[in-house]
Amino acid sequence: EDQVTQSPEALRLQEGESSSLNCSYTVSGLRGLFWYRQDPGKGPEFLFTLYSAGEEKEKERLKATLTKKESFLHITAPKPEDSATYLCAVQAFKGAQKLVFGQGTRLTINP
Amino acid sequence: EAGVAQSPRYKIIEKRQSVAFWCNPISGHATLYWYQQILGQGPKLLIQFQNNGVVDDSQLPKDRFSAERLKGVDSTLKIQPAKLEDSAVYLCASSSLGPGTGNTIYFGEGSWLTVV
């Protein structure tokens, strides 16, 4: 069974303090690994898809990387508006194209 | 481009009552998903449609939940009778048909259900 575990569950940083969120996964043939951002009261907002080990993608202060067992979401010099829950999900080649999500990391950036 | 539309946004019902949620996916998207997200957890797939047909409903509690997608566009998710543990956000999502690297899944804002 495909599984995703995210750590830490919650992270509190000061504005400008860089850090990383971890997503560990097991999947029978990875089609893609997805990162979403979710603000309170909203649906998940798509950030990145990574397809193969060694791949990296960047968007503003966020950079996502992928290995064969985990993905990291690096946040450089974060701002308060980066506060949100970050969700990681995997999509397998086998079967339907559903996403299997982790429980999320709740990130708070203090000014 | 319009996103995934859902209604109602919020609903409070008593246990054993029924409720229905509606979803209109992004235009042209053949695949439609319903996910359940309990507070503090990641979303969990309930049912996936490809056009009119069900692709995966293995985690749908079929004794109380039902879903349909008429004409391969809009979809309705129904819960009858509701239980307290059904309190959650019901997220509808859609993606375009086809293999390869462009198959991003886009989510709506969700329908928040509280069962009292």
Side-chain angles (χ1 to χ4, degrees):
Chain A
E1 187 180 323
D2 302 336
Q3 282 193 322
V4 177
T5 303
Q6 292 187 245
S7 61
E9 285 190 14
L11 181 62
R12 191 177 291 269
L13 301 171
Q14 289 299 120
E15 184 172 1
E17 181 185 0
S18 301
S19 188
S20 296
L21 313 183
N22 177 263
C23 170
S24 297
Y25 65 91
T26 56
V27 63
S28 54
L30 181 70
R31 181 188 183 116
L33 184 139
F34 294 72
W35 283 98
Y36 285 84
R37 169 190 171 128
Q38 188 172 28
D39 292 300
K42 303 279 183 111
E45 175 190 345
F46 171 73
L47 292 174
F48 305 108
T49 310
L50 301 167
Y51 295 99
S52 57
E55 189 175 359
E56 298 183 353
K57 288 197 175 166
E58 287 188 64
K59 180 180 179 179
E60 296 181 358
R61 295 174 291 281
L62 301 176
K63 183 168 84 170
T65 62
L66 181 65
T67 73
K68 288 188 178 178
K69 292 183 180 180
E70 56 193 349
S71 176
F72 293 93
L73 185 65
H74 307 278
I75 302 176
T76 303
K79 299 182 178 182
E81 53 263 41
D82 295 321
S83 297
T85 295
Y86 290 85
L87 295 165
C88 172
V90 296
Q91 187 181 59
F93 276 112
K94 239 165 61 165
Q97 296 162 0
K98 69 178 182 183
L99 295 178
V100 175
F101 281 88
Q103 79 279 22
T105 293
R106 191 171 64 254
L107 177 66
T108 305
I109 309 297
N110 294 317
Chain B
E1 182 183 83
V4 177
Q6 292 188 243
S7 68
R9 287 293 322 275
Y10 305 95
K11 192 77 176 178
I12 301 174
I13 62 172
E14 294 183 352
K15 59 183 179 184
R16 292 186 290 274
Q17 285 188 326
S18 63
V19 64
F21 302 114
W22 172 84
C23 173
N24 182 243
I26 293 172
S27 178
H29 279 193
T31 308
L32 186 147
Y33 312 79
W34 282 102
Y35 280 82
Q36 180 193 57
Q37 186 176 25
I38 293 171
L39 190 65
Q41 298 182 18
K44 181 187 85 172
L45 180 71
L46 291 175
I47 189 166
Q48 177 182 340
F49 293 93
Q50 185 83 5
N51 296 309
N52 289 343
V54 175
V55 175
D56 185 345
D57 64 356
S58 56
Q59 297 191 83
L60 186 73
K62 298 181 184 65
D63 57 335
R64 298 182 300 105
F65 286 65
S66 65
E68 60 181 8
R69 189 181 185 196
L70 299 176
K71 301 180 182 178
V73 182
D74 293 6
S75 177
T76 302
L77 176 71
K78 295 180 182 176
I79 307 174
Q80 181 179 17
K83 292 185 175 182
L84 296 176
E85 59 259 37
D86 298 332
S87 295
V89 182
Y90 291 87
L91 295 163
C92 181
S94 70
S95 65
S96 58
L97 181 64
T101 60
N103 202 24
T104 300
I105 298 175
Y106 297 93
F107 286 82
E109 296 287 83
S111 292
W112 293 68
L113 174 65
T114 301
V115 182
V116 297

